[in-house]
Amino acid sequence: MDIPAAKPSPRFAFGTLCWYEGDVFRVGLEVNLLDQDGERVHLKTGDAVTVRFYDETQTLVKEFTPTISGDAVALVFDKATTALFPEGDYTYDVEYEYTDTDGARRTTLAKGNKCMVQ
């Protein structure tokens, strides 16, 4: 008898971040920003990226402020973190905070992106 295989976890499926309940993993998010002139903007020391996950009622489940490495961040879903996410649908937002010649700035990079725990 063949047992059906699970899908890779975590994974992005049609733009939705998916994983199986209880899985422990790291997921990387690469930031690809362009300025008004079309020039690449790189993350730098002192910048901050915040990722917030919300449940179906828009209640905050988890906030990540990961370390920036190059132009990417890694979200670590350890045993304690993944326990916060029972099977269900979630959304996540990504915000970028930085300082330029005009002072402190905050830019929303993603709002209401879908996430599913199976």
mmCIF file of all heavy atoms in Angstrom, residues 4-31:
data_model
loop_
_atom_site.group_PDB
_atom_site.id
_atom_site.type_symbol
_atom_site.label_atom_id
_atom_site.label_comp_id
_atom_site.label_asym_id
_atom_site.label_seq_id
_atom_site.Cartn_x
_atom_site.Cartn_y
_atom_site.Cartn_z
ATOM 1 N N PRO A 4 0.188 8.315 0.948
ATOM 2 C CA PRO A 4 0.391 9.614 0.298
ATOM 3 C C PRO A 4 1.407 10.455 1.075
ATOM 4 O O PRO A 4 1.383 10.500 2.305
ATOM 5 C CB PRO A 4 -0.993 10.278 0.341
ATOM 6 C CG PRO A 4 -1.951 9.191 0.692
ATOM 7 C CD PRO A 4 -1.179 8.113 1.387
ATOM 8 N N ALA A 5 2.312 11.082 0.349
ATOM 9 C CA ALA A 5 3.335 11.911 0.974
ATOM 10 C C ALA A 5 2.760 13.274 1.348
ATOM 11 O O ALA A 5 1.846 13.787 0.704
ATOM 12 C CB ALA A 5 4.504 12.101 0.010
ATOM 13 N N ALA A 6 3.319 13.843 2.396
ATOM 14 C CA ALA A 6 2.962 15.211 2.786
ATOM 15 C C ALA A 6 3.609 16.175 1.795
ATOM 16 O O ALA A 6 4.614 15.860 1.159
ATOM 17 C CB ALA A 6 3.452 15.500 4.195
ATOM 18 N N LYS A 7 3.048 17.344 1.681
ATOM 19 C CA LYS A 7 3.652 18.389 0.857
ATOM 20 C C LYS A 7 4.815 18.991 1.640
ATOM 21 O O LYS A 7 4.862 18.882 2.870
ATOM 22 C CB LYS A 7 2.613 19.450 0.528
ATOM 23 C CG LYS A 7 1.489 18.919 -0.333
ATOM 24 C CD LYS A 7 0.447 19.971 -0.588
ATOM 25 C CE LYS A 7 -0.682 19.379 -1.415
ATOM 26 N NZ LYS A 7 -1.813 20.271 -1.527
ATOM 27 N N PRO A 8 5.777 19.617 0.947
ATOM 28 C CA PRO A 8 6.884 20.250 1.677
ATOM 29 C C PRO A 8 6.349 21.253 2.709
ATOM 30 O O PRO A 8 5.332 21.900 2.497
ATOM 31 C CB PRO A 8 7.655 20.982 0.576
ATOM 32 C CG PRO A 8 7.304 20.263 -0.684
ATOM 33 C CD PRO A 8 5.884 19.793 -0.494
ATOM 34 N N SER A 9 7.048 21.328 3.829
ATOM 35 C CA SER A 9 6.626 22.224 4.899
ATOM 36 C C SER A 9 7.858 22.830 5.541
ATOM 37 O O SER A 9 8.759 22.086 5.947
ATOM 38 C CB SER A 9 5.826 21.438 5.933
ATOM 39 O OG SER A 9 5.442 22.247 7.017
ATOM 40 N N PRO A 10 7.957 24.150 5.594
ATOM 41 C CA PRO A 10 6.994 25.132 5.090
ATOM 42 C C PRO A 10 7.106 25.257 3.571
ATOM 43 O O PRO A 10 8.075 24.788 2.968
ATOM 44 C CB PRO A 10 7.426 26.431 5.775
ATOM 45 C CG PRO A 10 8.909 26.296 5.883
ATOM 46 C CD PRO A 10 9.139 24.833 6.165
ATOM 47 N N ARG A 11 6.141 25.948 2.989
ATOM 48 C CA ARG A 11 6.146 26.174 1.541
ATOM 49 C C ARG A 11 5.288 27.393 1.245
ATOM 50 O O ARG A 11 4.441 27.792 2.050
ATOM 51 C CB ARG A 11 5.615 24.969 0.789
ATOM 52 C CG ARG A 11 4.139 24.722 1.007
ATOM 53 C CD ARG A 11 3.665 23.414 0.389
ATOM 54 N NE ARG A 11 2.254 23.174 0.654
ATOM 55 C CZ ARG A 11 1.761 22.765 1.813
ATOM 56 N NH1 ARG A 11 2.548 22.550 2.836
ATOM 57 N NH2 ARG A 11 0.464 22.578 1.963
ATOM 58 N N PHE A 12 5.524 27.996 0.091
ATOM 59 C CA PHE A 12 4.641 29.033 -0.432
ATOM 60 C C PHE A 12 3.833 28.392 -1.549
ATOM 61 O O PHE A 12 4.398 27.837 -2.491
ATOM 62 C CB PHE A 12 5.428 30.239 -0.966
ATOM 63 C CG PHE A 12 5.889 31.159 0.119
ATOM 64 C CD1 PHE A 12 7.152 31.027 0.672
ATOM 65 C CD2 PHE A 12 5.060 32.152 0.601
ATOM 66 C CE1 PHE A 12 7.586 31.876 1.683
ATOM 67 C CE2 PHE A 12 5.474 33.012 1.619
ATOM 68 C CZ PHE A 12 6.744 32.860 2.147
ATOM 69 N N ALA A 13 2.514 28.422 -1.434
ATOM 70 C CA ALA A 13 1.620 27.860 -2.438
ATOM 71 C C ALA A 13 0.673 28.963 -2.893
ATOM 72 O O ALA A 13 -0.137 29.442 -2.098
ATOM 73 C CB ALA A 13 0.836 26.683 -1.856
ATOM 74 N N PHE A 14 0.833 29.379 -4.136
ATOM 75 C CA PHE A 14 -0.001 30.441 -4.707
ATOM 76 C C PHE A 14 0.029 31.691 -3.833
ATOM 77 O O PHE A 14 -1.001 32.313 -3.577
ATOM 78 C CB PHE A 14 -1.432 29.951 -4.937
ATOM 79 C CG PHE A 14 -1.502 28.721 -5.795
ATOM 80 C CD1 PHE A 14 -1.760 27.486 -5.232
ATOM 81 C CD2 PHE A 14 -1.277 28.803 -7.161
ATOM 82 C CE1 PHE A 14 -1.806 26.346 -6.015
ATOM 83 C CE2 PHE A 14 -1.315 27.661 -7.945
ATOM 84 C CZ PHE A 14 -1.579 26.437 -7.382
ATOM 85 N N GLY A 15 1.221 32.015 -3.310
ATOM 86 C CA GLY A 15 1.394 33.220 -2.519
ATOM 87 C C GLY A 15 1.051 33.072 -1.042
ATOM 88 O O GLY A 15 1.177 34.017 -0.279
ATOM 89 N N THR A 16 0.617 31.886 -0.627
ATOM 90 C CA THR A 16 0.250 31.644 0.764
ATOM 91 C C THR A 16 1.358 30.851 1.449
ATOM 92 O O THR A 16 1.795 29.817 0.941
ATOM 93 C CB THR A 16 -1.069 30.851 0.848
ATOM 94 O OG1 THR A 16 -2.103 31.618 0.226
ATOM 95 C CG2 THR A 16 -1.460 30.557 2.284
ATOM 96 N N LEU A 17 1.816 31.335 2.614
ATOM 97 C CA LEU A 17 2.787 30.602 3.413
ATOM 98 C C LEU A 17 2.050 29.486 4.142
ATOM 99 O O LEU A 17 1.091 29.751 4.873
ATOM 100 C CB LEU A 17 3.460 31.546 4.415
ATOM 101 C CG LEU A 17 4.388 30.915 5.448
ATOM 102 C CD1 LEU A 17 5.543 30.179 4.775
ATOM 103 C CD2 LEU A 17 4.908 31.978 6.406
ATOM 104 N N CYS A 18 2.479 28.242 3.935
ATOM 105 C CA CYS A 18 1.801 27.072 4.519
ATOM 106 C C CYS A 18 2.791 26.208 5.290
ATOM 107 O O CYS A 18 3.951 26.084 4.895
ATOM 108 C CB CYS A 18 1.200 26.204 3.418
ATOM 109 S SG CYS A 18 0.095 27.040 2.278
ATOM 110 N N TRP A 19 2.315 25.616 6.395
ATOM 111 C CA TRP A 19 3.084 24.596 7.090
ATOM 112 C C TRP A 19 2.126 23.729 7.876
ATOM 113 O O TRP A 19 0.949 24.031 8.025
ATOM 114 C CB TRP A 19 4.181 25.196 7.974
ATOM 115 C CG TRP A 19 3.735 25.877 9.231
ATOM 116 C CD1 TRP A 19 3.507 25.301 10.446
ATOM 117 C CD2 TRP A 19 3.487 27.273 9.423
ATOM 118 N NE1 TRP A 19 3.145 26.246 11.370
ATOM 119 C CE2 TRP A 19 3.121 27.471 10.775
ATOM 120 C CE3 TRP A 19 3.542 28.390 8.598
ATOM 121 C CZ2 TRP A 19 2.804 28.710 11.296
ATOM 122 C CZ3 TRP A 19 3.227 29.625 9.120
ATOM 123 C CH2 TRP A 19 2.872 29.778 10.447
ATOM 124 N N TYR A 20 2.660 22.601 8.358
ATOM 125 C CA TYR A 20 1.858 21.678 9.158
ATOM 126 C C TYR A 20 1.976 22.022 10.639
ATOM 127 O O TYR A 20 3.054 22.359 11.125
ATOM 128 C CB TYR A 20 2.286 20.229 8.910
ATOM 129 C CG TYR A 20 1.964 19.770 7.508
ATOM 130 C CD1 TYR A 20 2.973 19.570 6.571
ATOM 131 C CD2 TYR A 20 0.649 19.568 7.115
ATOM 132 C CE1 TYR A 20 2.670 19.169 5.281
ATOM 133 C CE2 TYR A 20 0.340 19.170 5.826
ATOM 134 C CZ TYR A 20 1.359 18.962 4.912
ATOM 135 O OH TYR A 20 1.056 18.579 3.630
ATOM 136 N N GLU A 21 0.856 21.943 11.333
ATOM 137 C CA GLU A 21 0.803 22.256 12.756
ATOM 138 C C GLU A 21 1.897 21.500 13.510
ATOM 139 O O GLU A 21 2.078 20.300 13.333
ATOM 140 C CB GLU A 21 -0.579 21.880 13.304
ATOM 141 C CG GLU A 21 -0.788 22.228 14.755
ATOM 142 C CD GLU A 21 -2.196 21.907 15.227
ATOM 143 O OE1 GLU A 21 -2.961 21.235 14.509
ATOM 144 O OE2 GLU A 21 -2.540 22.339 16.340
ATOM 145 N N GLY A 22 2.647 22.237 14.327
ATOM 146 C CA GLY A 22 3.694 21.646 15.149
ATOM 147 C C GLY A 22 5.056 21.568 14.490
ATOM 148 O O GLY A 22 6.037 21.247 15.159
ATOM 149 N N ASP A 23 5.153 21.865 13.187
ATOM 150 C CA ASP A 23 6.455 21.815 12.515
ATOM 151 C C ASP A 23 7.381 22.897 13.069
ATOM 152 O O ASP A 23 6.936 23.997 13.416
ATOM 153 C CB ASP A 23 6.306 22.007 11.004
ATOM 154 C CG ASP A 23 5.816 20.751 10.301
ATOM 155 O OD1 ASP A 23 5.572 19.742 10.985
ATOM 156 O OD2 ASP A 23 5.678 20.792 9.068
ATOM 157 N N VAL A 24 8.659 22.585 13.163
ATOM 158 C CA VAL A 24 9.700 23.499 13.627
ATOM 159 C C VAL A 24 10.589 23.793 12.426
ATOM 160 O O VAL A 24 11.087 22.870 11.777
ATOM 161 C CB VAL A 24 10.510 22.860 14.779
ATOM 162 C CG1 VAL A 24 11.670 23.743 15.186
ATOM 163 C CG2 VAL A 24 9.597 22.585 15.969
ATOM 164 N N PHE A 25 10.785 25.100 12.117
ATOM 165 C CA PHE A 25 11.490 25.450 10.887
ATOM 166 C C PHE A 25 11.947 26.904 10.912
ATOM 167 O O PHE A 25 11.607 27.667 11.812
ATOM 168 C CB PHE A 25 10.582 25.228 9.670
ATOM 169 C CG PHE A 25 9.298 26.016 9.723
ATOM 170 C CD1 PHE A 25 9.221 27.274 9.137
ATOM 171 C CD2 PHE A 25 8.175 25.522 10.363
ATOM 172 C CE1 PHE A 25 8.042 28.011 9.195
ATOM 173 C CE2 PHE A 25 7.001 26.250 10.427
ATOM 174 C CZ PHE A 25 6.938 27.498 9.839
ATOM 175 N N ARG A 26 12.693 27.277 9.888
ATOM 176 C CA ARG A 26 13.092 28.672 9.619
ATOM 177 C C ARG A 26 12.605 28.998 8.218
ATOM 178 O O ARG A 26 12.694 28.172 7.315
ATOM 179 C CB ARG A 26 14.610 28.821 9.631
ATOM 180 C CG ARG A 26 15.254 28.636 10.960
ATOM 181 C CD ARG A 26 16.775 28.543 10.843
ATOM 182 N NE ARG A 26 17.358 29.688 10.164
ATOM 183 C CZ ARG A 26 17.950 30.708 10.777
ATOM 184 N NH1 ARG A 26 18.046 30.706 12.090
ATOM 185 N NH2 ARG A 26 18.460 31.696 10.098
ATOM 186 N N VAL A 27 12.086 30.198 8.052
ATOM 187 C CA VAL A 27 11.687 30.642 6.720
ATOM 188 C C VAL A 27 12.354 31.996 6.475
ATOM 189 O O VAL A 27 12.342 32.878 7.331
ATOM 190 C CB VAL A 27 10.140 30.709 6.562
ATOM 191 C CG1 VAL A 27 9.524 31.726 7.484
ATOM 192 C CG2 VAL A 27 9.753 30.983 5.125
ATOM 193 N N GLY A 28 12.976 32.127 5.315
ATOM 194 C CA GLY A 28 13.661 33.366 4.967
ATOM 195 C C GLY A 28 12.794 34.248 4.084
ATOM 196 O O GLY A 28 12.061 33.755 3.227
ATOM 197 N N LEU A 29 12.868 35.543 4.319
ATOM 198 C CA LEU A 29 12.177 36.527 3.491
ATOM 199 C C LEU A 29 13.218 37.485 2.942
ATOM 200 O O LEU A 29 13.935 38.138 3.701
ATOM 201 C CB LEU A 29 11.150 37.306 4.316
ATOM 202 C CG LEU A 29 10.037 36.504 4.986
ATOM 203 C CD1 LEU A 29 9.177 37.427 5.845
ATOM 204 C CD2 LEU A 29 9.196 35.790 3.953
ATOM 205 N N GLU A 30 13.331 37.554 1.629
ATOM 206 C CA GLU A 30 14.269 38.470 0.998
ATOM 207 C C GLU A 30 13.548 39.760 0.658
ATOM 208 O O GLU A 30 12.440 39.743 0.119
ATOM 209 C CB GLU A 30 14.857 37.863 -0.269
ATOM 210 C CG GLU A 30 15.919 38.751 -0.891
ATOM 211 C CD GLU A 30 16.609 38.109 -2.077
ATOM 212 O OE1 GLU A 30 16.564 36.873 -2.186
ATOM 213 O OE2 GLU A 30 17.177 38.843 -2.880
ATOM 214 N N VAL A 31 14.169 40.880 1.011
ATOM 215 C CA VAL A 31 13.591 42.195 0.753
ATOM 216 C C VAL A 31 14.213 42.737 -0.534
ATOM 217 O O VAL A 31 15.430 42.863 -0.626
ATOM 218 C CB VAL A 31 13.847 43.149 1.942
ATOM 219 C CG1 VAL A 31 13.284 44.523 1.661
ATOM 220 C CG2 VAL A 31 13.246 42.575 3.214
#
